[in-house]
Amino acid sequence: MSNPPLDFLQRTTPQFPSSIWAFVDKLRADKGISLPDWPQYVFLPFSGWYAATCLFLHKRTILDMNDMTIMHDMAVAGTWRLTQDVVRFDADVYASIIDTPITGDLPFDVFYRLPAWAIYIETRDMVYSGVPVHGFWAMLEHDTKDTMGDESEELRLFFLSEKGRLMPVVLQFGDGNLETAIQRVIDSDIKQGLITKEIVAYIEDTQDKEQNMRAITQAVNLLLYVCAYGFPNRPRNKSGEFQPHRPTMVKTKKGWRLFPAQRITYHDMGEDIGNAIREYKARPQADSESRTHASPRPHVRRAHWHGFWYGGKKMLEDGTLPERRFSLKWLPPIPVAMKEDDIEE
């Protein structure tokens, strides 16, 4: 039976010699020492992957479009191989999540809770730029210097086509919220050369951006759910928050190294909610018969995101502001009588 993400990994990693992975480990070991520091939720900034690709191709600086394709393959395979997490959603929950509107002030902070440096999410009947996709990888990027000389952060999605090719999408953090970032993503990707010539030609020929926006929105919805609730059966801290899985470097005779996971770890999401949705759908007639004029049948609420900030607002004695966190919950399309506690913990 075909396993698209594993097939991609097994096809891609042998293309790069062990010296490339040793170089990547060296960059990680020099983090914050001889190299600029970067956040823990980023395995390696793409400037590092750019340098690794130049080394692999024996080029000094400038990479062309084909070279960038190699860099994306290297970055995705090199990051995801360390944990090999695959997310699979309950079918009914999946259908509800992808149709959830992304509106209001949803901050990018939610993505900092990505449960691993890179995760793969399986999709159903998703199409991006006219190409059916099996799923997508998600990872965060931290650029120490953008075009304006400032630090910037991004969410990078890599759709995996049915032919095994990556189709990258970049959502830039910054002014505005997640909704506005999705609206401008296509134009930004074309301008920066982050999508292939074939995809650019398709967009220009058909002007069908709605399909791409739909795929990106669906992917972001699925990722929001994972970042909000984390992987099931993973350790949590005293506050009940899940802990990201980030392997630590091991000192060897050849220096500090990171070793890839031995196998894929599957995470099945939304099973409890899916059972509740199916149970409700199976008994509409019984609910109708038991209804009275005084007690109308419970209505079904459309799925939506509910978020709020928590933490103190007053300045601390040392003159600093307390850390504030954004809590996000996905409220499913089920009777309003269902308790929020029934949602994935």
Side-chain angles (χ1 to χ4, degrees):
M1 183 176 179
S2 176
N3 188 320
L6 183 60
D7 292 343
F8 171 83
L9 187 67
Q10 294 177 341
R11 183 179 66 254
T12 302
T13 50
Q15 299 176 17
F16 306 110
S18 58
S19 59
I20 292 297
W21 305 126
F23 177 74
V24 169
D25 287 340
K26 180 65 166 56
L27 295 179
R28 281 282 307 175
D30 290 340
K31 174 181 179 291
I33 303 176
S34 60
L35 292 177
D37 202 358
W38 61 82
Q40 291 296 325
Y41 46 77
V42 175
F43 170 66
L44 182 69
F46 272 79
S47 56
W49 292 115
Y50 194 100
T53 306
C54 288
L55 177 64
F56 172 67
L57 297 174
H58 305 289
K59 292 188 175 183
R60 291 190 175 183
T61 52
I62 301 176
L63 300 180
D64 60 27
M65 180 69 74
N66 291 330
D67 300 337
M68 295 294 283
T69 299
I70 295 174
M71 184 189 74
H72 290 150
D73 287 351
M74 182 190 295
V76 171
T79 305
W80 183 69
R81 73 187 188 125
L82 299 171
T83 56
Q84 297 182 39
D85 293 299
V86 173
V87 176
R88 302 184 298 194
F89 278 92
D90 173 274
D92 287 290
V93 173
Y94 178 95
S96 298
I97 291 177
I98 62 173
D99 285 337
T100 305
I102 297 180
T103 57
D105 189 17
L106 284 178
F108 290 102
D109 297 53
V110 179
F111 296 122
Y112 295 146
R113 303 173 206 168
L114 195 68
W117 283 315
I119 66 172
Y120 180 85
I121 299 180
E122 293 182 353
T123 58
R124 294 180 173 88
D125 301 321
M126 186 176 287
V127 176
Y128 182 74
S129 290
V131 180
V133 298
H134 293 296
F136 65 92
W137 278 277
M139 54 200 298
L140 295 171
E141 156 70 339
H142 179 83
D143 190 356
T144 54
K145 286 187 178 181
D146 61 13
T147 55
M148 300 298 293
D150 300 321
E151 293 188 355
S152 63
E153 295 185 321
E154 301 165 344
L155 169 65
R156 296 206 172 193
L157 307 178
F158 294 88
F159 291 102
L160 180 63
S161 77
E162 61 179 3
K163 294 184 179 180
R165 297 182 59 184
L166 295 181
M167 298 183 289
V169 171
V170 174
L171 277 79
Q172 296 180 328
F173 292 25
D175 296 337
N177 53 29
L178 185 54
E179 183 181 8
T180 58
I182 294 175
Q183 291 174 351
R184 65 173 179 259
V185 67
I186 299 298
D187 291 334
S188 175
D189 283 354
I190 296 175
K191 183 178 180 180
Q192 296 183 46
L194 291 168
I195 52 182
T196 64
K197 294 178 180 178
E198 292 83 357
I199 297 176
V200 172
Y202 176 83
I203 294 173
E204 291 176 345
D205 289 344
T206 65
Q207 298 297 313
D208 186 10
K209 294 183 180 180
E210 291 185 5
Q211 183 186 78
N212 288 5
M213 296 301 293
R214 182 164 57 251
I216 294 170
T217 302
Q218 292 175 350
V220 168
N221 266 321
L222 296 169
L223 187 60
L224 280 173
Y225 187 97
V226 176
C227 290
Y229 296 104
F231 294 149
N233 304 318
R234 280 286 175 87
R236 296 175 181 265
N237 60 22
K238 294 181 180 179
S239 301
E241 298 174 329
F242 65 87
Q243 301 301 295
H245 179 210
R246 296 168 187 154
T248 56
M249 301 195 79
V250 178
K251 190 173 184 179
T252 69
K253 293 181 180 180
K254 296 183 178 180
W256 291 95
R257 302 299 302 271
L258 274 170
F259 296 97
Q262 296 299 309
R263 63 185 63 86
I264 285 179
T265 299
Y266 292 98
H267 305 277
D268 295 313
M269 308 284 291
E271 290 183 335
D272 291 341
I273 304 177
N275 290 333
I277 292 175
R278 286 185 288 275
E279 180 182 350
Y280 173 73
K281 289 180 177 179
R283 53 183 175 85
Q285 185 173 358
D287 286 347
S288 178
E289 292 173 354
S290 62
R291 215 172 10 128
T292 66
H293 291 291
S295 57
R297 177 183 177 182
H299 69 277
V300 177
R301 159 186 60 197
R302 184 181 183 185
H304 64 281
W305 294 106
H306 174 67
F308 60 90
W309 290 94
Y310 66 93
K313 294 183 179 180
K314 294 184 179 180
M315 186 174 294
L316 303 177
E317 293 182 358
D318 60 2
T320 62
L321 291 173
E323 182 182 3
R324 303 190 73 213
R325 299 290 301 275
F326 186 79
S327 176
L328 183 68
K329 282 191 174 184
W330 181 73
L331 304 185
I334 52 180
V336 293
M338 180 179 179
K339 299 178 181 178
E340 291 186 17
D341 292 342
D342 293 334
I343 298 176
E344 198 122 24
E345 291 293 341

